[in-house]
Amino acid sequence: MNLPAPSFEAKICLPQRLAAQVGQLVRPLVFTNGVFDILHRGHVTYLAQARSLGSSMVVALNSDASVKRLGKGEGRPINRLEDRLAVMAALECVSLVTWFEEDTPLARILECRPDVLVKGGDWPVEQMVGAPEVQSWGGRAVSIPFLFERSTTATLAKIRAG
């Protein structure tokens, strides 16, 4: 049986097409980024809260090489970029998902020109990459406190400890 590709795959956006595709999204636009390696309750709660700050949301994922440079631990990411993109695209709150090879998502932020830049509660606004730029064009930066203290690193440690 030959079934069509899932419709959510249309939300996966090549970085070089991001500016054009963002132009088709309803504003205000929210932007966030991260590894999102093994999706958990903390992630999906955060993403739903971030989306509530606007009408559309772009999520930029760290490439596999970028994750390795972050020092997240041996064997990270667990899930390859193409798999993380698909899982993120399947979420209702996500309008577009893309990625970045660099150490920060600044280039994607500048391409999107979001109205709202969002990071989790471990990122004060003053330390958010792109916050000064977003604020310079009248947008805002928001740090969302964690409702559920979860982490992929802690989950992997628990699994590995047996």
Side-chain angles (χ1 to χ4, degrees), residues 16-33:
Q16 58 268 33
R17 300 230 348 101
L18 184 61
Q21 287 194 248
V22 162
Q24 299 170 18
L25 296 178
V26 178
R27 296 273 178 162
L29 176 68
V30 175
F31 179 98
T32 192
N33 68 280

Side-chain angles (χ1 to χ4, degrees), residues 8-9 20 53 62 70-71 78 87 90 116 118 134 140 145 150 152 162:
F8 66 76
E9 292 202 5
L53 298 173
N62 293 74
L70 284 175
I78 299 295
V87 170
V116 186
V118 181
V134 171
R140 63 190 175 120
R150 308 284 191 275
T152 300

Side-chain angles (χ1 to χ4, degrees), residues 131-145:
E133 290 81 1
V134 171
Q135 292 165 336
S136 77
W137 59 67
R140 63 190 175 120
V142 178
S143 179
I144 297 179

Side-chain angles (χ1 to χ4, degrees), residues 15 18 32 36 40-41 72 74 103 107 117 124 139 146-148 162:
L18 184 61
T32 192
F36 299 105
H40 52 68
R41 185 178 188 180
K72 289 276 188 180
E74 185 68 30
D103 290 339
L117 176 65
F146 294 127
L147 287 184
F148 301 98

Side-chain angles (χ1 to χ4, degrees), residues 1-130:
M1 180 184 307
N2 230 357
L3 296 174
S7 61
F8 66 76
E9 292 202 5
K11 294 196 269 181
I12 299 171
C13 179
L14 296 170
Q16 58 268 33
R17 300 230 348 101
L18 184 61
Q21 287 194 248
V22 162
Q24 299 170 18
L25 296 178
V26 178
R27 296 273 178 162
L29 176 68
V30 175
F31 179 98
T32 192
N33 68 280
V35 175
F36 299 105
D37 193 2
I38 298 176
L39 215 55
H40 52 68
R41 185 178 188 180
H43 287 142
V44 296
T45 301
Y46 162 77
L47 290 165
Q49 290 177 318
R51 171 60 184 269
S52 75
L53 298 173
S55 298
S56 302
M57 183 168 70
V58 172
V59 179
L61 302 182
N62 293 74
S63 70
D64 294 347
S66 175
V67 173
K68 290 182 188 316
R69 290 192 304 272
L70 284 175
K72 289 276 188 180
E74 185 68 30
R76 297 287 303 277
I78 299 295
N79 289 300
R80 296 180 316 195
L81 177 63
E82 64 191 37
D83 296 331
R84 292 183 288 123
L85 288 165
V87 170
M88 189 61 60
L91 298 177
E92 181 182 350
C93 62
V94 176
S95 305
L96 281 179
V97 62
T98 191
W99 66 93
F100 57 98
E101 297 288 343
E102 305 83 2
D103 290 339
T104 75
L106 185 59
R108 299 297 92 79
I109 293 167
L110 296 175
E111 290 158 0
C112 286
R113 293 185 62 86
D115 303 290
V116 186
L117 176 65
V118 181
K119 288 294 286 179
D122 54 341
W123 285 94
V125 170
E126 310 78 55
Q127 293 180 14
M128 281 186 208
V129 169

